[in-house]
Amino acid sequence: MESSVKTYQENYRVNSYETDFKMQMKPFALLNLAQEIAYQHATELGFGYDDLMASNVVWVLSRLYVEIYDNPGWRDRISIETWHKGQDRLFSVRDFIVRKSGGEIAAAITSSWLIINVESRRIHRFERLLKNEDSVDNYVCRRDAIAGTAEKLELSPDAENLDSHKVKYSDLDLNGHVNNAKYIEWAMDRIDADIIKEGILKSFCINFNHEAVAGDHIQFRRHMEHGDNGLLHVFIEGVRGDVSVFSVRLDYLMS
């Protein structure tokens, strides 16, 4: 682990069980790693899980956008660096850079987080966690891994209905809700195999709209459209009744 207080970095080796049939790191594995390192840095800053629970609040990931330049593969040694980039209205923005052993950038991530009261579910401003005369600037590194923030996604009303899934034990995190990374795994399980085989995943965006818990039935919907420069945009949404639980856009470069 390396840290300069405002930034945090860990080195990592990609395991076989974190890769797909192309021997490349799965988005699910990348998001799990990023989430863990975000928690580690927040703890070092004094705003980790235990610190927030003392005030009955928790971090909740709201949106996330990833650009992939050179996806790490099995046995690759990588480093991942993260920092709190500042506030965007009620959101706390956290960026990440993933580098390969030679220093080249493999991926960049920007994420938007909210602090939520566990009981009331109301949003808790980051500034309220600070002690007297403390400043947000003491915890912020104003660098961009990706300029801007993750966008709000809108799924076409023409989206087709797919299958459904009942939330199970293996989907849940330590809060008893569906693990954030699970949503990208669910989405990719609903993309045609030839797209994954022949295409190159260049970027993806996720909106975490509502929490899901054990026993929930998630209905999946999908819409695809062709964009510029040979990109295929695949939109996946998971709904519970009339409520959107999550939405994903995956951008594939098709050969």
Side-chain angles (χ1 to χ4, degrees):
M1 180 271 290
E2 298 177 15
S3 174
S4 64
V5 180
K6 291 186 177 182
T7 66
Y8 182 93
Q9 178 177 308
E10 285 194 5
N11 299 320
Y12 191 74
R13 184 175 182 271
V14 180
N15 298 296
S16 60
Y17 56 81
E18 296 171 309
T19 62
D20 60 14
F21 57 82
K22 293 182 178 180
M23 295 188 180
Q24 294 181 333
M25 195 173 192
K26 294 178 181 178
F28 171 74
L30 176 61
L31 294 196
N32 268 330
L33 178 59
Q35 182 172 258
E36 179 62 24
I37 289 176
Y39 283 144
Q40 296 292 346
H41 188 212
T43 298
E44 186 170 278
L45 292 175
F47 305 110
Y49 178 84
D50 294 332
D51 302 295
L52 265 63
M53 281 301 293
S55 300
N56 210 31
V57 295
V58 292
W59 288 107
V60 175
L61 182 56
S62 181
R63 298 176 190 171
L64 179 141
Y65 175 63
V66 180
E67 291 182 351
I68 301 172
Y69 308 117
D70 186 9
N71 199 14
W74 179 31
R75 294 180 289 206
D76 278 353
R77 296 190 179 276
I78 62 175
S79 67
I80 181 165
E81 182 185 14
T82 186
W83 59 93
H84 179 199
K85 192 164 71 172
Q87 300 302 118
D88 176 35
R89 296 167 294 169
L90 295 175
F91 294 107
S92 293
V93 182
R94 174 172 287 277
D95 279 11
F96 305 77
I97 288 285
V98 182
R99 291 183 175 86
K100 292 194 171 182
S101 57
E104 60 273 28
I105 296 177
I109 305 171
T110 189
S111 57
S112 301
W113 301 71
L114 294 170
I115 301 172
I116 303 291
N117 185 281
V118 173
E119 295 178 356
S120 69
R121 313 311 292 170
R122 291 184 177 179
I123 296 173
H124 190 101
R125 288 184 176 273
F126 180 75
E127 293 85 348
R128 292 178 59 189
L129 299 177
L130 303 179
K131 297 179 181 178
N132 293 337
E133 300 182 4
D134 203 354
S135 169
V136 172
D137 289 337
N138 293 333
Y139 305 95
V140 169
C141 175
R142 300 196 183 279
R143 289 167 50 198
D144 286 333
I146 296 175
T149 57
E151 66 183 290
K152 182 177 180 180
L153 299 176
E154 297 288 346
L155 199 72
S156 168
D158 299 327
E160 61 176 324
N161 285 323
L162 301 175
D163 60 329
S164 62
H165 173 78
K166 183 178 180 180
V167 177
K168 302 174 182 177
Y169 166 82
S170 60
D171 298 318
L172 303 179
D173 64 12
L174 53 80
N175 294 312
H177 303 135
V178 172
N179 178 356
N180 294 324
K182 269 290 178 178
Y183 296 117
I184 190 67
E185 186 174 60
W186 289 352
M188 294 198 68
D189 281 345
R190 283 150 187 92
I191 297 177
D192 295 340
D194 58 339
I195 294 176
I196 297 177
K197 182 179 180 180
E198 299 172 14
I200 300 173
L201 182 60
K202 301 298 292 183
S203 58
F204 59 91
C205 183
I206 312 177
N207 289 180
F208 305 92
N209 301 322
H210 286 88
E211 296 164 340
V213 298
D216 282 352
H217 288 269
I218 308 299
Q219 173 69 47
F220 298 104
R221 304 169 66 232
R222 181 180 64 190
H223 173 71
M224 295 187 290
E225 59 185 49
H226 292 277
D228 298 331
N229 302 318
L231 287 177
L232 175 65
H233 305 297
V234 183
F235 295 84
I236 306 287
E237 183 180 38
V239 299
R240 182 182 60 237
D242 296 329
V243 174
S244 175
V245 173
F246 76 96
S247 50
V248 174
R249 188 196 69 232
L250 301 109
D251 308 310
Y252 281 91
L253 179 62
M254 303 305 296
S255 55

